[in-house]
């Protein structure tokens, strides 16, 4: 039996690439490792049975409609699927899979890192040293806020949100959450559910955002919702950049309504809203949520498990989202 042909759009961890090469005829686009636009993707997809893509690869409705008949499955190396037009995939009968669970702890760690950096002004402090401007310890220099007994508001209490809540509980924070549905009592572990935005936002000394991208969440954190946060609140986003109105967030940081923001994701990545570059109270990370050796291996293996299920064994992929 000839091995199925797999278009692998990005460079992946070595162990993942080795397993893919063992079981598939792997095709890689020419040139440096980069997000593929529609033209490059279609040019590379001819005759492929499956596509192993990543966040940022353009798989909108038009591109999906133009994919060759041979493509039966798209396995994305991400939990987020906002870069793939799922309805168009369903219409074409192309299975789409993602990588849930394995990145929850790593992403929650980055959220906690941002919470800590914002609360303790670590970015500003590091820049001070690198600029060789530190003149020595001072009683009132770079004072942040203590997180113990502060309220953490988790927007989107899925797997990542719950991992963050677990970490924050260990630091003595009080947990509040807003979610499509209330968790079962044993899953809440003492967290307070809010049925509306108003009471939730008023309870956030720190707001951590974990909602997916897409039309339903575009610009969710807008000027009105920011105004509903307590003065001095911290905002952290490790979900998708599109869920934040950047102008409104920057304005609130400049005006002092918000103490700080920590952002790992941006609308239009890798470009970043210009205002963030000059704001001292913003910590910026280049979409590092799942970037640990362990997690990226696990994500790759999860992609291959999904591809194998359909292309090698003719079964149902375990993490099918469309
Ligand atoms: C994800 O898995 O969705 C991460 O954000 C990487 O894209």
């Amino acid at each position: 039996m000839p091995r199925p042909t797999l278009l692998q759009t990005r460079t992946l961890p070595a162990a993942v690439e080795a397993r893919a090469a063992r079981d598939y005829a792997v095709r890689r686009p020419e040139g440096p490792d980069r997000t593929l636009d529609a033209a490059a993707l279609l040019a590379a997809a001819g005759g492929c049975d499956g596509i192993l893509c990543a966040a940022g690869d353009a798989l909108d409705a038009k591109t999906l409609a133009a994919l060759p008949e041979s493509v039966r499955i798209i396995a994305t190396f991400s939990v987020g699927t906002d870069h793939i037009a799922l309805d168009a995939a369903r219409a074409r009968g192309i299975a789409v899979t993602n990588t849930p669970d394995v990145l929850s702890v790593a992403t929650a760690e980055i959220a906690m890192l941002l919470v800590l950096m914002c609360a303790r002004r670590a970015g500003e402090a590091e820049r001070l040293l690198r600029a060789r401007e530190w003149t020595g310890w001072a009683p009132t220099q770079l004072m942040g806020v203590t997180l113990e007994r502060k309220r953490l508001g988790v927007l989107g209490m899925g797997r990542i949100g719950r991992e963050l809540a677990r970490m924050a509980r260990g630091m003595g924070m009080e947990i509040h959450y807003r979610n499509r549905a209330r968790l079962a009592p044993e899953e809440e572990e003492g967290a307070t559910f809010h049925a509306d935005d108003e009471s939730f936002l008023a309870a956030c000394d720190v707001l951590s955002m974990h909602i997916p991208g897409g039309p339903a969440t575009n610009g969710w954190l807008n000027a009105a919702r920011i105004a509903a946060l307590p003065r001095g609140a911290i905002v952290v986003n490790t979900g998708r950049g599109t869920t934040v109105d950047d102008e409104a967030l920057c304005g609130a940081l400049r005006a002092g309504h918000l103490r700080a923001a920590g952002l790992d994701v941006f609308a239009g990545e890798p470009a970043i809203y210009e205002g963030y570059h000059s704001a001292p109270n913003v910590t910026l990370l280049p979409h590092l949520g799942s970037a640990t050796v362990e997690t990226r291996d696990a994500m790759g293996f999860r992609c291959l498990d999904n591809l194998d299920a359909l292309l090698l064994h003719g079964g149902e992929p375990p993490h099918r989202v469309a």
Side-chain angles (χ1 to χ4, degrees):
M1 274 284 283
R3 291 178 303 165
T5 301
L6 180 66
L7 169 60
Q8 179 194 315
T9 66
R10 305 300 304 267
T11 300
L12 297 176
V16 177
E17 292 205 341
R19 182 173 140 187
R22 183 193 67 194
D23 298 329
Y24 296 91
V26 177
R27 183 178 303 165
R28 290 293 318 280
E30 306 245 309
D33 179 36
R34 64 186 162 86
T35 292
L36 291 192
D37 62 20
L41 200 126
L42 290 173
C48 286
D49 301 288
I51 299 178
L52 200 173
C53 70
D57 287 331
L59 281 152
D60 57 12
K62 214 169 131 204
T63 310
L64 266 154
L67 281 175
E69 283 298 315
S70 57
V71 174
R72 296 167 60 205
I73 178 168
I74 296 168
T76 182
F77 187 87
S78 62
V79 69
T81 54
D82 51 314
H83 54 297
I84 305 174
L86 298 180
D87 285 345
R90 280 186 201 102
R92 282 283 315 268
I94 298 174
V96 179
T97 66
N98 71 344
T99 62
D101 300 320
V102 289
L103 46 65
S104 304
V105 170
T107 307
E109 283 176 354
I110 284 290
M112 182 49 84
L113 173 73
L114 288 171
V115 170
L116 283 161
M117 288 187 76
C118 287
R120 301 303 302 271
R121 304 176 65 178
E124 280 173 84
E126 213 233 8
R127 287 192 292 274
L128 179 83
L129 287 172
R130 286 191 186 277
R132 299 184 163 80
E133 282 170 7
W134 187 39
T135 52
W137 188 90
T140 59
Q141 186 180 44
L142 284 168
M143 291 188 295
V145 286
T146 299
L147 289 171
E148 190 184 24
R149 286 196 284 276
K150 295 290 187 309
R151 298 165 301 172
L152 170 70
V154 180
L155 177 70
M157 196 64 143
R159 291 168 277 237
I160 298 169
R162 280 156 66 182
E163 284 298 340
L164 177 68
R166 185 178 59 82
M167 294 172 193
R169 228 173 257 122
M171 296 178 60
M173 296 187 80
E174 182 183 305
I175 315 299
H176 294 252
Y177 75 100
R178 177 111 174 85
N179 203 33
R180 272 185 300 233
R182 185 171 182 166
L183 301 183
E186 66 276 13
E187 289 172 332
E188 273 187 338
E189 298 181 78
T192 304
F193 172 70
H194 292 263
D196 61 83
D197 289 345
E198 214 183 352
S199 76
F200 170 68
L201 291 166
C204 294
D205 296 316
V206 177
L207 166 66
S208 188
M209 298 180 59
H210 304 275
I211 50 176
T217 58
N218 244 338
W220 186 90
L221 190 65
N222 57 18
R225 290 196 173 100
I226 290 171
L229 288 165
R231 189 171 176 80
I234 289 169
V235 169
V236 162
N237 188 14
T238 53
R240 282 293 180 265
T242 51
T243 62
V244 171
D245 175 339
D246 294 318
E247 197 180 334
L249 181 60
C250 256
L253 287 162
R254 265 197 309 271
H257 178 64
L258 295 180
R259 177 180 306 279
L263 306 173
D264 185 45
V265 287
F266 306 89
E269 291 176 17
I272 293 178
Y273 179 74
E274 197 45 44
Y276 294 137
H277 285 282
S278 51
N281 47 352
V282 180
T283 300
L284 304 169
L285 295 180
H287 204 145
L288 291 182
S290 61
T292 71
V293 172
E294 298 86 345
T295 300
R296 290 284 164 87
D297 276 353
M299 288 169 73
F301 294 140
R302 191 141 278 195
C303 288
L304 292 172
D305 291 344
N306 283 307
L307 290 159
D308 293 357
L310 187 81
L311 296 178
L312 301 185
H313 309 302
E316 182 66 10
H319 306 103
R320 187 168 181 166
V321 291

